[in-house]
Structure formats: structure tokens, C-alpha cells
Amino acid sequence: MFETNEAMTLDVRVIPPREKHPTIFRTFDRLPEGGSFVLVNDHDPFPLRYQFEAERPGGFTWDYLEQGPTVWRVRIGRS
Amino acid sequence: MILSLSSAAAPDLELREIAAVCSHRGLGGLELVPGTAHGVGPHWSPSRVRSALDAAAAEGGAAVRIVALEVERPAEAAQLAPLAGALHLALLLPADRWEPGELVARARAAADDGAHVVLFRSFSSAAVSDTASLLAEIGHARVHAGWEVDPASAPLDFAERLLDPAAPPPAYLRLRGGGPEAAAQTGMGVGELIGRLTLARFAGPLVLTPSSPTFHVAWSAWLGRRGGWGCGSKADRELVGLSPALSPASVQ
């Protein structure tokens, strides 16, 4: 009925604020090595990138696919 | 996943207006439910719907699609099936309100007419097994399962139950109490649900809908609508003011 996603999409706009980052990291940790998902948010998630650099140093990739003004999309990969 | 809005969140808006609101908010889909002012019905042609959506996209800057039409009365299923089929949207049949025999017959007929049909109801373990039986009886590739989930009342492990491999795979989800109400929620499993949907590569709509008309003003503000709140809304604004979710940039 609806097209199959080729990329996994994690849309965090619907998640209560205090659950957002734990959900993102939990989903990231369940990825296979080399896997990725597209994070969708309603603002630039750059503070999250700092948290990744602190907590998963060298273990992730970060590529902006769309940068606002309404929606931000970032491909986060597990390297 | 297509993050979408129910017309219940803006029940006074016509189709073009509510689609424009979705576009402004970056929501990709729109669910049309009975009792709201969208106006879409059997007398609408596909081109008329597309024209309204095109106008909304031009106004809001991003395309919005209709993901579903909810059917209220059994006779409407056959009337709406051709429109649903032409627009590739789901026809939601209320599986917990219609008599099973009627539901099976209407679902099969609408699917034969080209529509994708969703047997739609509130999520519960009992409803899962009942829906699985109905789907097996109907046996049509265009008939699917869809759920309304209320994190405030669902079991804590509802995400695990909903995506249990033994259960019918959900094609459509409606989440009560998202949007501006999310900021008031405290770890009720929404994050777990979204994470699991991601890993399951869920490609269907996730529809946000108010949990109560009490939050009408909060939703209006969240959707960026202006003015027209009328008498008595000052207290509502103060209630809304407690929520940091009004400004997307303020939500981490």
C-alpha cells in the first residue's frame, strides 16, 4: 500500500523530548556494522552530534541530507 | 514512515487549508476523519483532490498526500472505494464498531474495487488475534491491519506486542496524544515504538491525533495557526504556555 523504505527512517518529531536521545542511541546500537538510518527532526540536531562524538567516538558517520527550514534529515551510520 | 496529521487536529479546516498546515509543519501526510470540515466525499473527483493538494503545496512549500479516509457507515465504503483506489490512499474501516460479517463483506468489496483497506481499531492483544482471523477470512492482498495506540493507557510493552512477528504486520498507525501533547508525556513507550518501527522499516503512515478536544488550542498553536481562538481561550493559552513543545526549536 505504501512504498517500502529502502533507508530506515527514525522520525523523532513525535517522541517526547526526554525519550529522544535515548531512543536514537538505542536504535543506533541495534544497527549492524555498516548500517545506517535517516534521522528526521524539526530542528538542527547538532547537539546530538556532540553527544555522539563524546559517547561513540570514531564509531559513527554523520551526513546532512536536508537542512531546514522545517525539517532536518541526517544519515547516521555505524562505522 | 510517513509522519501525518489527522484532520481531528484541525476540525474546522477545509482540505486545502489543513493540507497547507501540514506542509508548513513538515508533515508528509493527512488523514481525513468523519465529522471534520475537510469536505472530501464520494462526490469528489481525484483531480479535485489533487488540485487542492497542489494548491496547499504551493502555499506551504512541501508536498502533502492524503494517507487515509476513515469510513463512518458501511454503505460509504463502496462509495469511497473508487476515490481511494485512484488516489492510492487507505480506506479505514472501523473494525471495532461494525458487525464482523458486514466488515468482511465491505472490506472485500472495496478491495475488489481497487482500494487498499485497513481494518482499523484500538490496539489490544485481543484485537490482534481477532484482526488476524478477519484478515485470514478475507484473504485479500489489499486488506491490512491498522491500529490506534494510546500510550497513556496501553501496556508498557505495547511496542513489542504490536510488532510481534506472529501478529499481522501493521500497515497504518494512529498515535493519540502526540504533537504538542508529547512534551507532557513521561516515558510511556513512544520512543520504543518509534525505534522498533525504524528497525522494522515501517513505511506506512504514523498519524498524530489529539487525545482530547481539550487540547484544541495547543494543537492550533503547534500547527502555527493564527487568531480566532475566541472567548475563553486565555486559560487555554496559559495551559499551552506550560508546554515547551510550542516552539519546535526549543525541543531537544
Side-chain angles (χ1 to χ4, degrees):
Chain A
M1 173 171 52
F2 297 98
E3 302 80 7
T4 302
N5 280 343
E6 288 190 3
M8 287 192 264
T9 303
L10 179 60
D11 194 327
V12 298
R13 292 175 294 174
V14 68
I15 301 176
R18 70 184 64 187
E19 282 193 68
K20 284 191 180 185
H21 285 204
T23 298
I24 294 165
F25 278 97
R26 199 163 52 238
T27 306
F28 176 84
D29 290 339
R30 289 173 181 168
L31 285 176
E33 196 169 309
S36 67
F37 60 79
V38 176
L39 177 76
V40 183
N41 204 1
D42 55 16
H43 63 276
D44 189 341
F46 66 89
L48 175 71
R49 181 174 187 166
Y50 298 147
Q51 191 175 349
F52 263 100
E53 287 172 353
E55 298 187 8
R56 303 292 188 278
F60 74 99
T61 59
W62 181 281
D63 297 294
Y64 281 104
L65 305 178
E66 183 177 348
Q67 292 183 273
T70 306
V71 174
W72 276 255
R73 296 179 200 275
V74 183
R75 184 183 300 281
I76 300 175
R78 186 170 181 191
S79 54
Chain B
M1 181 186 305
I2 309 167
L3 193 59
S4 305
L5 183 76
S6 171
S7 62
D12 55 324
L13 297 187
E14 296 177 359
L15 176 60
R16 184 195 58 76
E17 297 170 320
I18 193 169
V21 162
C22 285
S23 180
H24 278 299
R25 201 67 178 78
L27 302 171
L30 175 61
E31 172 196 76
L32 302 178
V33 300
T36 59
H38 59 78
V40 176
H43 55 290
W44 280 55
S45 66
S47 61
R48 184 179 174 191
V49 174
R50 290 191 189 103
S51 175
L53 295 178
D54 288 346
E59 185 180 329
V64 175
R65 62 185 287 188
I66 300 176
V67 293
L69 266 171
E70 186 175 34
V71 179
E72 188 165 28
R73 289 179 290 275
E76 294 171 350
Q79 297 168 345
L80 289 168
L83 183 65
L87 293 171
H88 304 291
L89 55 83
L91 213 52
L92 304 186
L93 306 189
D96 48 2
R97 285 197 286 114
W98 292 3
E99 186 271 323
E102 176 107 75
L103 182 69
V104 167
R106 298 290 182 177
R108 192 177 284 143
D112 284 342
D113 280 349
H116 279 280
V117 175
V118 171
L119 305 185
F120 189 72
R121 67 202 323 176
S122 295
F123 177 75
S124 71
S125 295
V128 168
S129 57
D130 187 46
T131 297
S133 299
L134 289 168
L135 289 173
E137 182 179 349
I138 295 167
H140 201 299
R142 280 198 292 270
V143 182
H144 317 270
W147 306 106
E148 178 171 285
V149 180
D150 185 352
S153 60
L156 283 175
D157 63 345
F158 73 88
E160 186 179 348
R161 293 193 201 183
L162 200 149
L163 291 167
D164 186 332
Y172 192 95
L173 293 172
R174 183 194 287 161
L175 185 68
R176 290 171 62 90
E181 299 177 52
Q185 295 173 343
T186 52
M188 291 189 290
V190 176
E192 180 66 14
L193 173 65
I194 303 302
R196 284 177 179 269
L197 290 173
T198 298
L199 294 168
R201 297 180 183 268
F202 176 71
L206 180 73
V207 180
L208 307 179
T209 195
S211 64
S212 159
T214 305
F215 296 108
H216 173 69
V217 173
W219 280 86
S220 293
W222 188 74
L223 293 170
R225 300 176 62 189
R226 300 285 185 271
W229 287 359
C231 297
S233 62
K234 180 174 182 292
D236 284 346
R237 282 200 299 275
E238 290 170 353
L239 175 67
V240 169
L242 296 174
S243 164
L246 287 177
S247 167
S250 71
V251 178
Q252 193 52 246

